[in-house]
Amino acid sequence: QVKLLQSGAALVKPGASVKMSCKASGYTFTDYWVSWVKQSHGKSLEWIGEIYPNSGATNFNEKFKGKATLTVDKSTSTAYMELSRLTSEDSAIYYCTRTRWIPYYFDYWGQGVMVTVSS
Amino acid sequence: DTVLTQSPALAVSPGERVSISCRASEGVNSYMHWYQQKPGQQPKLLIYKASNLASGVPARFSGSGSGTDFTLTIDPVEADDTATYFCQQSWNDPRTFGGGTKLELK
């Protein structure tokens, strides 16, 4: 069965960076895009961007360009997202998802990573 | 960005029918999808492309609509359906989500 296992919660200082992982199993990792979604305040959801593991191609929400960097390691079927120059606005839960290409919906979700930005 | 507007909360009794609406600020064709999120859990796909039931989702859930107005219907509602329901569009860039509708059981 399809699983996306994300790394653990992170407490980071303002101005620092954080890198989180998303290990995929149960499907061919290189066949599907992986998207990342932010959930703030336990409510609203925002699409950050996506990466195609086969080629490394990426697409981003303009709002998160310069904030998020997406990479993959095909050898371990793992996707990564690094967030830089963190502020309190980046405190949120971050989900990785498997994306079904056209019409671009998210059919499987990881359990989420809670990031807290605090000094 | 395309804004998706959902009513914040609904309360229904078990066994009733409930319709959750999602209105888009601009047309999204049929590229509207619905997710269920229970407290402390990740969202789960229910409906894709307006009216297609995701794998393993009970037939009590259905979706309809096109253009700017969409509806998720649960009939009949069960106690386990207590959750927040989000719509998401993928026709316009960037993909956006609605604010969510919290469904409570009376």
Side-chain angles (χ1 to χ4, degrees):
Chain A
Q1 66 281 30
V2 174
K3 287 188 178 179
L4 298 171
L5 183 62
Q6 297 188 244
S7 48
L11 172 62
V12 291
K13 295 190 184 313
S17 297
V18 66
K19 189 173 184 178
M20 61 193 77
S21 64
C22 171
K23 183 172 176 57
S25 61
Y27 72 98
T28 302
F29 181 61
T30 50
D31 283 352
Y32 295 84
W33 289 72
V34 174
S35 287
W36 293 83
V37 175
K38 177 183 181 181
Q39 185 165 38
S40 305
H41 315 300
K43 189 70 173 179
S44 60
L45 297 160
E46 292 180 280
W47 176 69
I48 297 170
E50 62 188 357
I51 186 166
Y52 188 50
N54 196 37
S55 64
T58 56
N59 296 306
F60 285 94
N61 183 336
E62 283 289 331
K63 178 179 177 179
F64 292 95
K65 284 184 178 178
K67 168 64 68 176
T69 302
L70 304 182
T71 56
V72 297
D73 180 345
K74 290 191 284 186
S75 69
T76 60
S77 298
T78 302
Y80 298 91
M81 179 172 71
E82 182 171 20
L83 301 172
S84 61
R85 299 182 301 279
L86 292 167
T87 72
S88 60
E89 294 299 306
D90 297 313
S91 293
I93 297 175
Y94 293 88
Y95 295 100
C96 63
T97 76
R98 192 179 80 164
T99 302
R100 296 304 297 266
W101 190 249
I102 303 178
Y104 315 103
Y105 58 89
F106 311 121
D107 62 351
Y108 290 93
W109 295 62
Q111 83 277 18
V113 174
M114 180 175 290
V115 173
T116 303
V117 182
S118 174
S119 55
Chain B
D1 295 0
T2 303
V3 175
L4 303 181
T5 301
Q6 299 183 245
S7 52
L10 288 171
V12 297
S13 299
E16 291 185 344
R17 170 190 171 112
V18 66
S19 293
I20 297 171
S21 65
C22 177
R23 174 163 288 179
S25 61
E26 56 187 323
V28 300
N29 200 319
S30 61
Y31 283 30
M32 184 66 78
H33 323 294
W34 291 92
Y35 304 87
Q36 176 194 64
Q37 186 177 34
K38 296 181 178 179
Q41 296 185 17
Q42 67 269 50
K44 171 189 172 184
L45 176 69
L46 295 176
I47 300 287
Y48 64 94
K49 209 177 176 198
S51 60
N52 296 278
L53 197 65
S55 177
V57 175
R60 303 184 291 104
F61 293 87
S62 62
S64 62
S66 66
T68 60
D69 291 295
F70 297 85
T71 302
L72 172 69
T73 300
I74 311 173
D75 186 15
V77 172
E78 296 183 357
D80 188 52
D81 299 334
T82 298
T84 299
Y85 294 84
F86 294 94
C87 54
Q88 176 244 324
Q89 67 81 25
S90 57
W91 182 251
N92 301 310
D93 189 49
R95 295 155 217 181
T96 52
F97 292 84
T101 297
K102 188 173 184 178
L103 181 66
E104 296 179 338
L105 280 286
K106 295 179 185 175

